[in-house]
Amino acid sequence: MASVFNYLRKPDFWVALVIILFIISFSALALFETHLFNFSIGFLPITHWASWIGGLWIAFVTLIFYVIKQRRPMQMKALLRIHIFGNLAAFMLISIHFWYELATVTRIGIGMALFIALLFLVITGVLYRFNIMQSSKKYLKYLHITMTTAFLLILIIHILGTLFKL
C-alpha cells in the first residue's frame, strides 16, 4: 500500500501542488476581485496579455517538447520539469484570463471549450506524471495526448475567432 503513495515523496509533486494552489488562488481573485485585473498594458487588458503568453507558451513548448522527445530522448528528463512547471504556470495565466472573462463578460463562447480542454490536459498530465492512477497509466497517456491535440486545435480556432471577431 505504501508504494501507491510514492508521489508524495517527490519534491516535484510538492512544487506542482504549490503551483496548483496559486492557480486556484489567482483564479478566485480574478473571479471575485475583478478590479485587481482591470487595467491595460498597451492595447490589451492585462488578462488578455496573460492568456496570450500562457497559450503561446503551451503551444510552442509542447510542440518543441514533442520534437525533442522524438529526436533526443536522452534529454527528456531535463526538459520534463520545464514542460511540467512551465505549463502549470501558463495554465495559471490562462486561468486568470478565463475567470476574469467569466466574471465580466456575458458571452464566453469557444473560450469555455478551450478552458475545459486545457483543464483536462492539466489533470491528465499531473495524474500521469506522478503515477497517481498507476493502473490507468496507459489510458492517461492516451487522454493526455488527445487533450493536447484538442487544446491546440481549439486554441487556433479561438485565436482566429478573436482576431477576426467571428
Side-chain angles (χ1 to χ4, degrees), residues 78-110:
L79 294 173
L80 190 60
R81 289 177 131 187
I82 294 170
H83 174 73
I84 294 167
F85 301 134
N87 284 5
L88 282 173
F91 178 57
M92 180 170 55
L93 294 173
I94 294 167
S95 295
I96 290 168
H97 170 71
F98 175 78
W99 292 108
Y100 178 82
E101 291 293 308
L102 194 66
T104 60
V105 177
T106 57
R107 185 176 79 77
I108 296 297
I110 199 153

Side-chain angles (χ1 to χ4, degrees), residues 61-137:
V61 169
T62 299
L63 293 173
I64 291 167
F65 183 77
Y66 175 77
V67 170
I68 291 173
K69 183 177 175 181
Q70 299 302 314
R71 295 188 181 177
R72 296 199 173 126
M74 299 305 288
Q75 294 178 339
M76 277 290 300
K77 192 166 186 157
L79 294 173
L80 190 60
R81 289 177 131 187
I82 294 170
H83 174 73
I84 294 167
F85 301 134
N87 284 5
L88 282 173
F91 178 57
M92 180 170 55
L93 294 173
I94 294 167
S95 295
I96 290 168
H97 170 71
F98 175 78
W99 292 108
Y100 178 82
E101 291 293 308
L102 194 66
T104 60
V105 177
T106 57
R107 185 176 79 77
I108 296 297
I110 199 153
M112 180 69 78
L114 184 59
F115 187 77
I116 291 170
L118 182 57
L119 181 62
F120 277 102
L121 181 59
V122 169
I123 290 169
T124 58
V126 168
L127 293 175
Y128 180 77
R129 169 61 182 97
F130 296 110
N131 289 325
I132 294 174
M133 297 174 60
Q134 290 175 343
S135 62
S136 302
K137 190 157 180 156

Side-chain angles (χ1 to χ4, degrees), residues 10 12 15 17 24 30-31 45 47 49 58 75 128-130 136 142 145-146 150 152 159 165:
K10 296 179 181 180
D12 285 0
V15 173
L17 187 61
I24 293 167
L31 182 61
T47 60
W49 282 113
I58 291 174
Q75 294 178 339
Y128 180 77
R129 169 61 182 97
F130 296 110
S136 302
Y142 173 77
I145 293 168
T146 303
L152 292 173
I159 289 171
K165 304 290 185 209

Side-chain angles (χ1 to χ4, degrees), residues 31-66:
L31 182 61
F32 298 116
E33 301 291 336
T34 56
H35 65 280
L36 296 174
F37 300 96
N38 195 16
F39 63 94
S40 296
I41 296 177
F43 59 93
L44 282 177
I46 189 68
T47 60
H48 279 67
W49 282 113
S51 68
W52 274 96
I53 292 167
L56 291 174
W57 170 272
I58 291 174
F60 287 117
V61 169
T62 299
L63 293 173
I64 291 167
F65 183 77
Y66 175 77

